[in-house]
Amino acid sequence: SAVISQKPSRDICQRGTSLTIQCQVDSQVTMMFWYRQQPGQSLTLIATANQGSEATYESGFVIDKFPISRPNLTFSTLTVSNLSPEDSSIYLCSALPEALHFGNGTRLTVT
Amino acid sequence: QKEVEQDPGPLSVPEGAIVSLNCTYSNSAFQYFMWYRQYSRKGPELLMYTYSSGNKEDGRFTAQVDKSSKYISLFIRDSQPSDSATYLCAMRNNNAGNMLTFGGGTRLMVKP
């Protein structure tokens, strides 16, 4: 299975700023997935990122708030824009072929 | 109604007990069933992965799937304090992409 690394592992950001999270996979993968886990909650899919095309967003998530880049087959970024305290969550990525494994995620706290 | 329902707990058991964790689901198209363990401040760790109805065993863990009842279970034998974590069930319908649909998670505490 692919090994998934995320940076940063955690960050504390001020309201109104943005945070970009990086996801690196140790092998080439076709699709990458970004999830959000709000405090005490389960994981919710934000979007699916394909290399060379626009990301596909789930209901309730929009590109202006969560822009995603997928410049190559091993890397993706998720930006959380115009931060508010409600964005305080863990953000996780996973990747095909199995899309079953996650990194340790990025813990974001917005003050 | 959520697609996947899971009792949030917390579930508190003594060390050595058999633990039963369960999820129900409503979407009959789900084909793959997973159990994850998540320690505090860590990402979910895949424990078990099953495709069909029946049982799958791995050490102290047994995953059970009953598609006719839309019900899955994870059993932990001889539970240890190190098993204390949140357990998440997840499901996937390959005909609808590769996204996972998660239950809300059950917090388990195993007391020494």
Side-chain angles (χ1 to χ4, degrees):
Chain A
S1 60
V3 176
I4 298 170
S5 304
Q6 275 185 243
K7 289 183 182 179
S9 59
R10 60 191 308 157
D11 207 342
I12 301 172
C13 299
Q14 290 192 337
R15 184 193 299 257
T17 64
S18 298
L19 176 70
T20 295
I21 302 166
Q22 299 178 5
C23 181
Q24 180 75 51
V25 188
D26 68 346
S27 57
Q28 293 186 342
V29 293
T30 53
M31 296 169 73
M32 297 177 75
F33 305 86
W34 287 99
Y35 287 83
R36 180 176 73 181
Q37 187 177 26
Q38 293 178 302
Q41 304 293 316
S42 191
L43 283 76
T44 302
L45 182 67
I46 297 172
T48 302
N50 293 316
Q51 196 267 334
S53 64
E54 292 271 343
T56 303
Y57 289 84
E58 297 300 308
S59 175
F61 298 96
V62 295
I63 188 171
D64 289 347
K65 176 68 175 176
F66 298 100
I68 288 171
S69 77
R70 183 77 203 278
N72 58 50
L73 291 174
T74 65
F75 187 78
S76 178
T77 67
L78 169 74
T79 298
V80 189
S81 303
N82 190 24
L83 290 168
S84 67
E86 292 73 33
D87 295 320
S88 297
S89 297
I90 300 173
Y91 293 85
L92 299 125
C93 70
S94 71
L96 280 181
E98 292 180 326
L100 299 178
H101 298 277
F102 297 86
N104 278 328
T106 297
R107 181 179 293 270
L108 169 62
T109 302
V110 183
T111 59
Chain B
Q1 182 187 3
K2 294 181 182 178
E3 274 193 296
V4 181
E5 298 277 0
Q6 187 176 4
D7 188 330
L11 178 62
S12 182
V13 301
E15 182 175 356
I18 297 174
V19 175
S20 172
L21 304 166
N22 311 295
C23 287
T24 59
Y25 62 97
S26 56
N27 187 349
S28 59
F30 286 134
Q31 301 162 320
Y32 294 85
F33 305 90
M34 282 69 69
W35 284 96
Y36 290 85
R37 177 175 62 196
Q38 186 174 26
Y39 292 114
S40 180
R41 301 182 183 277
K42 296 290 187 181
E45 172 194 6
L46 181 66
L47 279 177
M48 301 286 284
Y49 170 43
T50 56
Y51 172 68
S52 58
S53 284
N55 293 353
K56 182 177 181 179
E57 190 173 319
D58 184 1
R60 295 186 295 113
F61 299 92
T62 299
Q64 190 173 80
V65 174
D66 183 347
K67 286 187 176 180
S68 62
S69 301
K70 299 190 182 67
Y71 187 88
I72 69 169
S73 300
L74 177 71
F75 298 97
I76 307 174
R77 293 184 297 280
D78 188 23
S79 56
Q80 304 294 310
S82 59
D83 295 327
S84 298
T86 296
Y87 290 80
L88 300 152
C89 65
M91 307 181 185
R92 186 170 79 189
N93 172 10
N94 274 16
N95 295 328
N98 291 280
M99 63 173 283
L100 300 180
T101 301
F102 283 84
T106 299
R107 185 177 166 206
L108 171 67
M109 295 182 291
V110 181
K111 297 183 177 180

